[in-house]
Every structure is written in C-alpha cells, then in structure tokens.
Amino acid sequence: MSNIKVIITKDYEELSEKAFEVMAEVLRNKPDAVLGLATGSTPIGLYQKMIEDCKNGGISYKKVKTVNLDEYVGLTPNNDQSYRYFMRHNLLDHIDIDLNNTNIENGVAADLPAECARYDALLSTLPRDVQVLGIGANGHIAFNEPGTPFDSQTHVVDLTENTIQMNARFFASEADVPRKALTMGLKGIMEAKKILILASGASKADAVFKTVRGEVTEEVPASILQNHPNCVLIADEEAASLL
Ligand code: PGA
C-alpha cells in the first residue's frame, strides 16, 4: 500500500507554486531547517519561487543548512557543468544563505571512497527536514539507476552510456562529459523526515505510475518511496496521466 501523497497540478507553474508551499511550511515551522536539494530542470521553478519570496522579504535562509544529492567526478566547483555551480547559479547565490552552510560532495577529492564516507558522516550530523527530488524517465533518483540496492549509502557511480549521451549537449564534446559521479544512496535519501518529489511532462508518466502504483523493486529506484512515511509527489497533468 503506497504511502505517497500525490498532488496533481495543471501545469509546471502550478507544480512550482505547490512545491514552494510545501517548502515554505517546513521553513516557517523551523527557520533552521536542513534542506536536501536536487539539481536538474524540474526544481528550477521551485528555486525561482524561493528566490522571489526571499528577495521580497519573505523567508530568511540565514539559519538554514543544505545538503545536495550528487556531483560529477572530475569537475571543479567553478566548472559551469558542476552541480555546485548549478546550485549557486539557480538558488544559493540569490538567497540570504551562508554558503558555508551548503554542502555537496567534492567531485575532485583525491580519495573518492573516503569522500563518500565523509559525506555519510556529514549527513548523519545534518538530519534533513525535507529532501527535494526529481525523477528520471527510468525511475532513477539522484544518480541511483535501476538495480541500485535499496540499502545503498553515498557511493561512486559509473554513468551509463545513455546518461553520457544525454549530457553531451551541455559539453563541448562527448569526450568532455564526466564518466563518474558521486551520489547519495537510496538509504540516505530515505532518512530525510519528508520527501518532496517533483515530476513534469509526459516523459515522466511511466516512471510516476511505477513509483506510485507499481511494485516496490530495485528496478524502479523511486518505488522505495512507497515505504517512506511522509512523501509528497507533485506531478503536473502530463506526468500524472497514467495514474
Ligand atoms: P530533470 O531530471 O529534472 O532534468 O528532468 C530529473 C532526473 O533525471 O533526476
């Protein structure tokens, strides 16, 4: 029996508004909340609403801490394709947060397994009040592709050929696309007190259906969310069309 609370919106704009309402409630109840953040195109509308609200004197992020899901291996924070850069550009540089309170895996660490262990230790000291997630068309969450064990912690992943090709458009050539990434594991994701997963567009409809109504299986990483006690999925009509 799925515990996931589903909110269906007419379009991406309304999805972003509803996501902001969920986020704002967390922050109003707890001004020093720990936020788990995600990259990808889907949360950008939510981040824009957070920026707009903060600039208009709304919620302050002075006491907030953040942890991100994943980072490419081999890209420095200043590389415009790194997820650190993405987060600064799309949110963190535009709200009143102290950047020292924002965390993401170090993709240029010399010892990657040690970096994963460091990140898990950090996560245990920063229990997340909410974790934002996007979802892949194959049901992946963060870089946890189908087949990732449900008990996985932060780990190094080899990107699939498909992901490398999909990402090539952002780089000068396919050879420049990172081959590896660091990602929070499924166990780490499930530790957040609340999960806010966002899905927009017809390409996500199958993954949304399997996440909410399908079998809980490692073949659909997001299906583990059915076991989370406080998970909200906001999908626009296209993404929710098979529900
Ligand atoms: P998207 O990516 O938000 O850019 O669709 C989501 C994901 O692949 O996790």
Side-chain angles (χ1 to χ4, degrees):
M1 180 55 195
S2 173
N3 282 319
I4 300 174
K5 178 181 171 193
V6 179
I7 298 173
I8 300 173
T9 65
K10 67 176 187 305
D11 56 17
Y12 180 69
E13 172 60 22
E14 196 190 351
L15 174 153
S16 302
E17 274 166 28
K18 293 271 182 224
F20 176 69
E21 281 170 26
V22 172
M23 184 60 93
E25 193 191 340
V26 170
L27 288 160
R28 283 193 199 104
N29 287 331
K30 199 169 173 198
D32 60 348
V34 179
L35 309 180
L37 299 177
T39 54
S41 53
T42 315
I44 288 179
L46 161 65
Y47 297 157
Q48 284 171 351
K49 304 238 171 260
M50 290 165 71
I51 292 168
E52 200 179 287
D53 165 80
C54 185
K55 289 209 157 123
N56 289 332
I59 293 162
S60 168
Y61 295 82
K62 287 204 169 112
K63 295 183 183 160
V64 166
K65 295 188 170 73
T66 70
V67 287
N68 256 81
L69 290 170
D70 45 13
E71 178 60 287
Y72 286 119
V73 168
L75 301 188
T76 62
N78 290 331
N79 184 303
D80 66 4
Q81 290 307 321
S82 75
Y83 286 168
R84 162 62 81 183
Y85 185 99
F86 176 102
M87 287 311 303
R88 290 191 59 165
H89 181 72
N90 286 295
L91 177 67
L92 301 172
D93 282 349
H94 311 291
I95 56 177
D96 62 346
I97 197 164
D98 179 349
L99 288 178
N100 292 318
N101 289 334
T102 66
N103 300 281
I104 190 162
E105 293 94 334
N106 176 8
V108 290
D111 181 341
L112 296 176
E115 173 58 11
C116 293
R118 179 196 73 85
Y119 208 66
D120 282 330
L122 178 79
L123 292 177
S124 66
T125 66
L126 292 175
R128 279 149 290 152
D129 294 287
V130 61
Q131 174 67 59
V132 177
L133 295 175
I135 183 169
N138 63 0
H140 74 215
I141 43 179
F143 273 122
N144 297 290
E145 298 292 347
T148 305
F150 279 163
D151 64 357
S152 52
Q153 293 187 287
T154 303
H155 58 284
V156 184
V157 285
D158 290 312
L159 301 184
T160 62
E161 205 43 50
N162 183 37
T163 302
I164 293 166
Q165 279 169 20
M166 294 267 289
N167 291 352
R169 66 186 191 279
F170 300 116
F171 292 84
S173 77
E174 197 177 307
D176 294 334
V177 183
R179 269 30 191 185
K180 287 180 192 290
L182 300 177
T183 186
M184 198 187 287
L186 295 167
K187 182 164 182 276
I189 288 171
M190 288 291 280
E191 281 163 3
K193 287 178 203 145
K194 184 182 191 78
I195 304 266
L196 173 60
I197 179 165
L198 309 176
S200 172
S203 68
K204 304 292 173 70
D206 185 55
V208 165
F209 175 81
K210 287 177 175 155
T211 297
V212 177
R213 299 262 182 87
E215 185 195 342
V216 177
T217 163
E218 289 177 354
E219 289 315 306
V220 183
S223 67
I224 195 178
L225 300 174
Q226 290 186 28
N227 294 337
H228 196 283
N230 189 2
C231 176
V232 181
L233 182 146
I234 308 181
D236 62 18
E237 273 176 10
E238 287 186 357
S241 62
L242 299 177
L243 289 181

